[in-house]
Amino acid sequence: MAIFELWYNTPTLEKISENMELFDLIDGNNERFVNVIVDCIGIDDLLTYRIPEDIDIQIGDILSVPLGNRQVGAIALQICDTTQVTDTTTEIKSVIAVVSSGIFPKTYWEMLTLTADYYRTPLMQTIKTALPPKLLDQSHYRIKVKRENIIPEKQERESYKLPKAAQMVWEFLQEHQDNSKGISRRYIYQKLGRYTSSGLKELQKLAWIETILELPNRPKPKYEDIVILLKAPDSELTERQIEVLTILQHQGGECLKTQLYKLAKTTSSMVQNLADKGYLVISKQESLRLGGKSHTVTRDRPKDLNANQDAALQQILKAIADCHATHFLLHGVTGSGKTEVYLQAIAPVLESGKSALVLVPEIGLTPQLTDRFRARFGDAKVSVYHSQLSDGERFDTWRLMLAGEAQVVIGTRSAVFAPLSNLGLIVMDEEHDPSFKQDRPQPCYHARTIAIWRSQLENVPLILGSATPSAETLFAQKENNSIYLEMPNRIGNKPMPPIEIVDMRDEFKAGNYSILSRKLQEAIAEMLENKKQGILFIHRRGYSTFVSCRSCGYVAECPNCDVSLSYHDPINPTAHQPKSAHLRCHYCNYTQIQPKSCPQCGSPYFKHFGSGTQKVEQELAKLFPNIRLIRFDSDTTQNKDRHRLLIDQFRSGESDLLVGTQMLTKGLDIPQVTLVGVVSADGLLNFSDYRAGERAAQTLLQVAGRAGRGEEEGRVIMQTYTPEHPAIQAVQQYRLDEFMQTELAMREALSYPPKGQMVLIHLSSEQEQAVEKSAEELASYLRQLANNWDVLGATPAAITKVSNRYRWQILLKFAPEVLPDVPSLEELRMLVNSKAVRVAIDVDPLTIL
Ligand code: ADP
Ligand code: ZN
Ligand code: ZN
């Protein structure tokens, strides 16, 4: 099965499934049991129930089970025989009924089990990541009388024999039997209270009633009248009629009816009259809720594709039609029309009654993206799912997905678990983006890895789109049979903005001590004069842990490893940290005292680097007293509406310059932006991580891609102390491919991912000695296992102490084909066996800090 070999670095489904007996149905004539998760907050274990003979249960079915004296919702996860039931002390209760079958995709639980297994996390914890709590809440059930099961003569007699509770419920249902949709369980509960649960149970046993999971209704689309011009005005018409039609012509031949009334100061009889004469037509158009507000915009129609887009689309359409799990790398520069390709690939998926999943790094920042999907497919077909939804919104979105209609779900990382039952296509936009990897809590999954599994399990194509593909995807693309689709030009052959590099060492020599070079200052002044807008990018503050010389650009590096040393502050001295500022390697633990002057040129300006947004803001205010700034970083964009507000403000021209961090790289499409400045590229480059080069190049190219998207040409100015760095050189020439080939060669030499695999184990504790002891013992234990892996560490983490917890880590490194038996989170907890020490495990870590 060649397709499973696709993802070199990701264990194949087959390999993982070997040890998995989860989905084996045990046949036999004995009693059968089902392990379920119950949908109650606070219950973290699988519970076992007996399966009554007359009930047929499939994995993934939604069940009704007794819990204490309640009846709760549950999901069937494992079906097993007696021998697998470990708990023999308590009585095993029986399943009451199957509420719904076939709601989740068939392979859904297999995907979750793979995730749990691969990321070494307990299944329950994985399920909690995937599904919101209380999804199956009792209040969302309806009870329906099953007329067909009731023989009228018998029913009269039997209902008197029922226990009191059942009688009460039965009477209540009889009184309300007109309601064909059934009666809400919550309503019954309000009326009958504690009798409800046991009463329903009895009736369910008799099969007189059924319980239905109630799914919310989709918002109904709203429509408004629009007027479309059919024929140009001619001499047949009165002067006034010609006037009205000419106004319509000036609106591009199409506008809202109410808008035409206003513009032409006319009435409905006039418009109707023109329609009767055949000059125009009145038609209905969906009113869309764009950006949270209700807007009526012209429904967006598919664009005529250029040759590259069309070539890409045709291949994708073929895979969709064949239901083939083909993986595409859609490598298109920013503004090359990738989104348009996604839209046109999704249209036939929806038409065939299937759904599409679109994964994006950030939603709050790219409202335009969701707007484009809504404008193309209509509100009712598009759901948005991301972490900033309120609990209620999230819950409704999940339940809409369960409803099984053809739809597009646009979501961030966790939406990869969207329970869409009839999937036809998965798109992952900006596939290189690190936010697809979950940090905390476990499982530390990568949405790309899961998307690859999901595509294989459900036989749907997967499009990985990016202007700057990750090493993983490029490597898989090179080695295997995924399809490479290239779109090297911007739409309309708009040029990519030229990138100018400023050597900050020259600024220093010339006596300019400002963090803004003369060139960037001039460019900002010019931009202000021409009333254009700009973006100023600053690397994230937390990343500025390296030390460099402001005079010669020398960066302190580890003599043993190919990474820069990290600066450690003496503020929180520990037994392992010298009391003065020092530099440390996070891979081998090499440590040295921070030199007082540059080892290369002797300059005293050999310092810990950093230029936060605030500092830049102050500098700008000093240089350009009238400049209107918007600061855009995690401090200023805490809540979801704030993102949009700031971007909208900027878009509408209320500000000249957007100053911000990493967030600016994500899909911001503002045509007026002509200038992009990068305050210091070095913070990205010297990140003490083997991935620093790749990430720097990706980030810088993405930032550069924000310039010159409109009519005006763009300009990018990048400041750096190391203009000769290969990543900077590659970015300046827009030649990422060669750079990535060199990167891959380097990774191969050092067995770093994707040419090797890593697992990072974190330990932390409030007790310094306890965590050190645990970490060292665990490391030596893992070394003894000699599982074809290298055990690096234990070493203290880069930030040794966070919220009073001391942090250590152990890195396991092995060849990707090896797949050693890495202990699971539970096993690690047992090995560490200390209440004082917390353990976490990160498979395929993106950063090793
Ligand atoms: P990307 O996703 O690669 O950044 P987009 O799909 O956003 O690119 O396209 C950039 C711009 O070009 C958008 O405004 C889009 O509407 C427009 N566009 C895309 N494809 C076409 C096309 N075939 N013809 C005309 N305009 C297009
Ligand atoms: Zn120096
Ligand atoms: Zn080292």
Side-chain angles (χ1 to χ4, degrees), residues 303-305 309 333 335-340 372 491 709:
K303 300 192 166 53
D304 290 330
L305 298 184
Q309 285 177 309
V333 298
S336 60
K338 293 185 293 294
T339 311
E340 185 63 32
R372 276 172 78 181
I491 291 292
R709 294 174 75 100

Side-chain angles (χ1 to χ4, degrees), residues 136-192:
L136 312 174
D137 193 294
Q138 285 296 309
S139 55
H140 297 279
Y141 289 113
R142 294 185 89 86
I143 310 296
K144 256 175 95 170
V145 173
K146 283 183 106 170
R147 292 268 150 242
E148 64 276 19
N149 287 357
I150 297 162
I151 307 161
E153 314 83 64
K154 264 175 84 184
Q155 177 243 314
E156 186 83 355
R157 257 179 292 131
E158 280 178 15
S159 62
Y160 288 112
K161 285 190 255 161
L162 290 173
K164 179 161 178 246
Q167 266 184 43
M168 286 175 67
V169 175
W170 185 243
E171 266 167 39
F172 186 82
L173 290 171
Q174 294 293 318
E175 281 163 29
H176 295 81
Q177 61 180 307
D178 305 341
N179 193 340
S180 61
K181 275 175 63 194
I183 298 156
S184 128
R185 192 182 191 281
R186 185 160 30 178
Y187 181 55
I188 304 177
Y189 190 82
Q190 270 168 12
K191 296 289 171 191
L192 303 181

Side-chain angles (χ1 to χ4, degrees), residues 168-409:
M168 286 175 67
V169 175
W170 185 243
E171 266 167 39
F172 186 82
L173 290 171
Q174 294 293 318
E175 281 163 29
H176 295 81
Q177 61 180 307
D178 305 341
N179 193 340
S180 61
K181 275 175 63 194
I183 298 156
S184 128
R185 192 182 191 281
R186 185 160 30 178
Y187 181 55
I188 304 177
Y189 190 82
Q190 270 168 12
K191 296 289 171 191
L192 303 181
R194 66 192 168 87
Y195 294 107
T196 314
S197 183
S198 61
L200 285 172
K201 196 169 146 185
E202 289 294 329
L203 295 172
Q204 197 114 35
K205 263 195 211 153
L206 286 169
W208 286 7
I209 57 166
E210 64 182 331
T211 313
I212 310 160
L213 188 64
E214 185 180 15
L215 298 170
N217 297 319
R218 278 198 169 268
K220 289 247 161 39
K222 271 195 282 179
Y223 290 94
E224 285 185 72
D225 285 339
I226 55 162
V227 183
I228 303 166
L229 186 69
L230 291 183
K231 208 160 100 183
D234 53 34
S235 52
E236 302 281 298
L237 300 176
T238 67
E239 219 165 278
R240 179 69 185 130
Q241 284 171 326
I242 293 173
E243 199 184 326
V244 172
L245 286 181
T246 312
I247 287 168
L248 183 55
Q249 227 167 3
H250 287 154
Q251 294 300 307
E254 179 178 317
C255 73
L256 282 179
K257 197 166 83 174
T258 48
Q259 196 184 353
L260 184 63
Y261 291 169
K262 225 190 269 165
L263 290 171
K265 300 196 176 59
T266 183
T267 58
S268 71
S269 59
M270 161 73 101
V271 173
Q272 190 56 51
N273 188 262
L274 284 167
D276 294 342
K277 283 186 175 357
Y279 285 87
L280 52 80
V281 64
I282 302 165
S283 138
K284 293 228 174 285
Q285 177 177 276
E286 192 180 332
S287 156
L288 299 171
R289 291 171 307 155
L290 300 186
K293 290 175 244 141
S294 191
H295 279 273
T296 298
V297 294
T298 311
R299 182 76 167 254
D300 176 43
R301 300 202 176 84
K303 300 192 166 53
D304 290 330
L305 298 184
N306 65 29
N308 285 328
Q309 285 177 309
D310 192 53
L313 180 68
Q314 293 314 321
Q315 299 222 47
I316 296 167
L317 290 181
K318 186 167 180 316
I320 291 172
D322 295 348
C323 298
H324 200 282
T326 314
H327 297 168
F328 295 96
L329 166 54
L330 181 59
H331 184 183
V333 298
T334 47
S336 60
K338 293 185 293 294
T339 311
E340 185 63 32
V341 173
Y342 305 150
L343 289 166
Q344 296 200 26
I346 289 169
V349 170
L350 293 178
E351 270 161 35
S352 68
K354 293 187 179 177
S355 295
L357 183 57
V358 180
L359 301 167
V360 295
E362 266 285 351
I363 280 187
L365 299 179
T366 51
Q368 311 112 286
L369 183 85
T370 43
D371 287 356
R372 276 172 78 181
F373 278 79
R374 291 212 159 103
R376 186 66 60 87
F377 301 119
D379 271 341
K381 286 259 182 262
V382 179
S383 321
V384 172
Y385 182 79
H386 55 90
S387 57
Q388 289 180 332
L389 293 180
S390 70
D391 283 352
E393 288 169 318
R394 183 188 317 240
F395 184 71
D396 282 349
T397 312
W398 275 101
R399 290 155 62 79
L400 281 172
M401 292 186 223
L402 285 174
E405 289 163 32
Q407 57 193 297
V408 185
V409 172

Side-chain angles (χ1 to χ4, degrees), residues 27 85 100 191 330-331 433 556 722 745 802 836:
D27 50 21
V85 179
S100 289
K191 296 289 171 191
L330 181 59
H331 184 183
D433 198 291
T722 47
V802 173

